[in-house]
Amino acid sequence: MSASFETLLPIFLLIALGLGLRWRGIVPEEMWRGLELLGYWVFFPALLMETLIRSDISNLPLTGIAFTMIASFTTMAVALHLSSRFIMHVFELSGPSYSSVFQSATRWNGFIALPVLAKLYGDEGVALVAVIIGSLVPIANIMAVYVVAQNAGTRKLTLPEIAYVVFRNPFIWATALGLLINFAGIPIYAPVMTSLSSLGAAAIGSGLLMVGAGLNVSDATRPSPAVWLGTGLKLLGTPLLVIFWSFVTGISGTAFMACMICASVPTAMSAYVLARQMGGDAPLVATTVTVQTVVSFFSIPLIITLATYLQ
Amino acid sequence: MTESFIALLPVFIVILVGFGLRRSGLIAEVHWSAVDHVCYYVLFPAIIFKEIAAADFSNVPVWSMALAMVLGISTMFALLLVLQRPLISVLNLNGPQFSSLFQGATRWHTFIALAIIPIYFGQSALALGGLSAAAMTPLLNIVNVGVISAHGSGVRMNAKAMALSILKNPFVLSSLGGVLWKLLHLPMPTMGVQVLDMIGKGALGLALLAVGAGLRIDEALSTKGPVVLATFLKLLVMPVFMAFWLWTLDVSGEAAAVAILCGAVPTGSGAYILAKQMGGDAPMIASILTLQVICAAFTIPFVLSLLG
């Protein structure tokens, strides 16, 4: 366990650095927005695409991974949806607050999962994250948008609007293009690949700084029970579901490790954006993200140790 | 030359992507200046510090290399200052325009140089790039501030403010920090190296995007004599001056090649800020930089291919 703890330490140091840089005002406010946009539209897609084009993915159990992750996250979502009245009653939550707990438990932060897997398994780890993003992001986005719209009292989204939310996501395009180029064996001019890789190199460092800059420590000092619910479900509940569904699909080894790590990271930063845009409880999401990030520093090594034992 | 051109093509592709991103409006103007700011204050200092602190300089003639670079830029200073009157009358320049020509012909773009070095020479050569920054930046800043004070239309900087601005320069600070760390034989903690590595890796791509976002194609297309002259002096004459002094001081190999590259890159984006603050001709700097970046896609491979 201490070994995986040390693996994670640089990652969390960078997150802490991002927090410090923002807190002390060393880095101007607009920068974070610029970095966020560049990371989302340029660096991350470049990294995913470049790795998928370059890697040998023919040996990865792609369908097994996709099915395990979709099944695990859908199980969590359905369980939360069925028990929505119960949760709102016990935790005394409003509709918007419930939707934030839902988002905290059913989404995941690729910016944290990717560096962990890149460190543990190199290019293969990055390729695995790309595959998981490609399979999980569309469905996770649709579920989140649906639940927030239903519980936050705003009008329901039309089908074209939902399609737009999903398909304007650059991660999905990057993954699809990368897979297509890889499987079709389309040759890419070497300087273009080098350009992609130098852009992709920025993804990990800037992504982690950005995660840190997004944390809000002062709000998170006294977390409510709802925050702990979202944290427990995400950081421990989802990995347990992955263990169950992995037995069903029979994936093992690196593929299993990748699924476990992607399940064990905090919820996505975009959950906050969605909550703000659609009338969810945005402060609750912000607090949960912060608590999850701090707790995950300890829980991810735990999950990695458990997964290593089970793989 | 084709080989060096293809090797450097990624650098210019990423610059082009940055240009496209700004034109598309996906990332707004304020965000770009913030990106620049972070590259300058956080990312590059991290790389320079780490590379110098971890470098092995036992086979590098550090002092001769630094001296040759200082002499190289000083030769350019001297040339421009001696020819100051004829240049002003022949090209019909006013004071601010001369100061911009001066900045355009003498400064260097650290982002571009540091992005090319690992691609062309390998990661370890970055330490030499850091040394170049430590050698050239203080002198370049002092002389350029002096020239703008004499020719610009704006405020003059006093000696104290100038000294402070050089001491606060992040490239100088991080180089000195790295050298100090090395001289004191302090251990480099693995964890620290990993963190600096993760930050540093992203810097090059990010910085090149910022370079691209700063390009002003329309202004570069309407170029005039002084802009072309500054481009010629910076991209082709400066490397010759560097090569001459490196040869005189008997510096060769990778150290010489990195020094010549640092001479051959376009002028720095700091020139624009300085011109704006101190009453130089800032739009002219923008068009000089743009023309230089476009031409550099061909002149830098040319210069590097001459090195063999």
Side-chain angles (χ1 to χ4, degrees):
Chain A
M1 164 133 185
S2 69
S4 50
F5 194 72
E6 263 176 42
T7 313
L8 290 186
L9 196 52
I11 292 170
F12 281 88
L13 282 177
L14 263 186
I15 295 180
L17 181 63
L19 177 67
L21 287 174
R22 170 161 202 162
W23 181 51
R24 303 285 308 181
I26 295 169
V27 172
E29 203 67 27
E30 315 87 64
M31 167 63 190
W32 296 112
R33 183 75 190 128
L35 202 58
E36 203 181 331
L37 287 166
L38 283 171
Y40 185 78
W41 289 102
V42 185
F43 300 150
F44 228 74
L47 179 63
L48 296 179
M49 196 162 127
E50 195 249 351
T51 315
L52 281 179
I53 293 173
R54 204 162 33 81
S55 315
D56 179 16
I57 47 175
S58 53
N59 294 324
L60 298 178
L62 297 181
T63 29
I65 293 168
F67 186 81
T68 307
M69 292 309 271
I70 292 175
S72 306
F73 277 71
T74 316
T75 309
M76 176 64 79
V78 170
L80 280 172
H81 190 59
L82 291 178
S83 55
S84 61
R85 287 193 184 288
F86 175 73
I87 290 172
M88 285 201 243
H89 179 71
V90 172
F91 287 87
E92 293 171 358
L93 295 177
S94 63
S97 298
Y98 164 78
S99 78
S100 292
V101 172
F102 182 90
Q103 284 209 80
S104 306
T106 58
R107 306 185 70 169
W108 62 295
N109 193 335
F111 288 106
I112 299 180
L114 189 114
V116 178
L117 277 157
K119 262 199 102 189
L120 287 174
Y121 303 110
D123 284 345
E124 193 189 4
V126 177
L128 283 164
V129 177
V131 170
I132 294 174
I133 286 179
S135 49
L136 205 50
V137 166
I139 191 154
N141 281 4
I142 291 176
M143 292 189 305
V145 168
Y146 173 79
V147 170
V148 177
Q150 206 185 32
N151 290 283
T154 44
R155 74 190 170 82
K156 300 221 169 117
L157 288 180
T158 61
L159 203 60
E161 280 173 320
I162 291 179
Y164 177 76
V165 167
V166 174
F167 288 109
R168 68 167 246 142
N169 184 313
F171 295 2
I172 294 172
W173 286 104
T175 305
L177 261 174
L179 286 174
L180 180 75
I181 291 169
N182 186 312
F183 284 135
I186 301 167
I188 301 289
Y189 187 46
V192 173
M193 284 299 280
T194 314
S195 308
L196 278 178
S197 92
S198 66
L199 287 173
I204 290 181
S206 63
L208 289 173
L209 287 178
M210 203 177 75
V211 168
L215 299 183
N216 195 337
V217 177
S218 57
D219 284 349
T221 43
R222 250 184 245 159
S224 64
V227 171
W228 288 115
L229 178 66
T231 304
L233 287 175
K234 180 72 233 319
L235 300 183
L236 301 173
T238 321
L240 292 178
L241 288 171
V242 169
I243 293 176
F244 171 77
W245 283 106
S246 297
F247 276 121
V248 176
T249 56
I251 59 166
S252 61
T254 318
F256 171 68
M257 293 299 291
C259 290
M260 285 295 278
I261 290 167
C262 288
S264 70
V265 296
T267 188
M269 294 301 225
S270 50
Y272 176 79
V273 180
L274 188 69
R276 209 177 42 191
Q277 281 172 352
M278 294 185 58
D281 187 345
L284 178 58
V285 176
T287 311
T288 311
V289 169
T290 307
V291 172
Q292 283 183 345
T293 307
V294 175
V295 176
S296 71
F297 183 39
F298 304 97
S299 71
I300 297 176
L302 199 74
I303 298 293
I304 293 178
T305 312
L306 178 68
T308 316
Y309 179 71
L310 288 172
Q311 67 168 333
Chain B
M1 162 145 186
T2 330
E3 222 169 276
S4 335
F5 179 75
I6 291 175
L8 296 189
L9 199 51
V11 170
F12 293 93
I13 294 178
V14 176
I15 291 179
L16 209 61
V17 171
F19 177 72
L21 280 172
R22 187 183 62 85
R23 286 295 281 258
S24 74
L26 190 65
I27 291 147
E29 205 71 34
V30 279
H31 300 143
W32 285 115
S33 66
V35 167
D36 228 29
H37 183 96
V38 166
C39 288
Y40 187 72
Y41 283 102
V42 184
L43 304 182
F44 275 105
I47 304 184
I48 290 181
F49 173 78
K50 191 217 128 196
E51 292 300 336
I52 290 187
D56 175 16
F57 286 132
S58 53
N59 293 318
V60 180
V62 175
W63 295 109
S64 312
M65 179 190 171
L67 182 62
M69 298 184 88
V70 167
L71 288 171
I73 50 178
S74 301
T75 310
M76 182 63 83
F77 290 151
L79 177 75
L80 286 168
L81 292 175
V82 168
L83 295 179
Q84 185 178 346
R85 299 215 169 273
L87 277 175
I88 289 179
S89 64
V90 171
L91 292 168
N92 202 10
L93 300 176
N94 58 28
Q97 284 173 334
F98 176 76
S99 76
S100 291
L101 169 67
F102 193 90
Q103 287 211 81
T106 58
R107 300 181 69 124
W108 66 306
H109 210 305
T110 358
F111 289 5
I112 299 179
L114 292 181
I116 290 177
I117 288 170
I119 290 180
Y120 201 81
F121 300 103
Q123 188 76 17
S124 60
L126 268 174
L128 293 171
L131 278 184
S132 309
M136 296 200 292
T137 305
L139 181 66
L140 279 173
N141 283 2
I142 294 174
V143 175
N144 274 294
V145 167
V147 168
I148 305 180
S149 294
H151 291 272
S153 56
V155 288
R156 295 183 177 212
M157 208 183 254
N158 60 29
K160 195 179 146 205
M162 202 192 302
L164 203 66
S165 79
I166 287 160
L167 279 180
K168 278 170 68 181
N169 183 293
F171 287 93
V172 175
L173 271 182
S174 54
S175 306
L176 291 180
V179 169
L180 217 69
W181 196 276
K182 228 181 137 45
L183 289 179
L184 295 174
H185 297 289
L186 292 176
M188 204 58 178
T190 332
M191 206 60 79
V193 172
Q194 285 182 351
V195 171
L196 289 177
D197 254 349
M198 273 202 269
I199 302 179
K201 262 187 205 156
L204 305 177
L206 195 62
L208 291 176
L209 285 181
V211 171
L215 297 185
R216 297 289 177 271
I217 297 290
D218 308 339
E219 287 173 29
L221 287 180
S222 61
T223 44
K224 295 172 216 84
V227 176
V228 176
L229 179 65
T231 304
F232 173 72
L233 289 175
K234 181 76 236 307
L235 299 182
L236 295 171
V237 178
M238 182 70 100
V240 173
F241 287 170
M242 289 286 179
F244 171 77
W245 287 110
L246 289 160
W247 177 72
T248 309
L249 294 170
D250 205 21
V251 181
S252 59
E254 197 172 71
V258 169
I260 291 173
L261 169 71
C262 291
V265 295
T267 189
S269 55
Y272 183 81
I273 300 164
L274 202 59
K276 240 183 171 167
Q277 283 172 347
M278 299 188 59
D281 189 338
M284 184 172 147
I285 296 271
S287 48
I288 288 175
L289 180 57
T290 305
L291 185 67
Q292 287 187 351
V293 171
I294 296 168
C295 294
F298 306 96
T299 60
I300 295 178
F302 172 67
V303 169
L304 288 175
S305 68
L306 291 183
L307 298 174

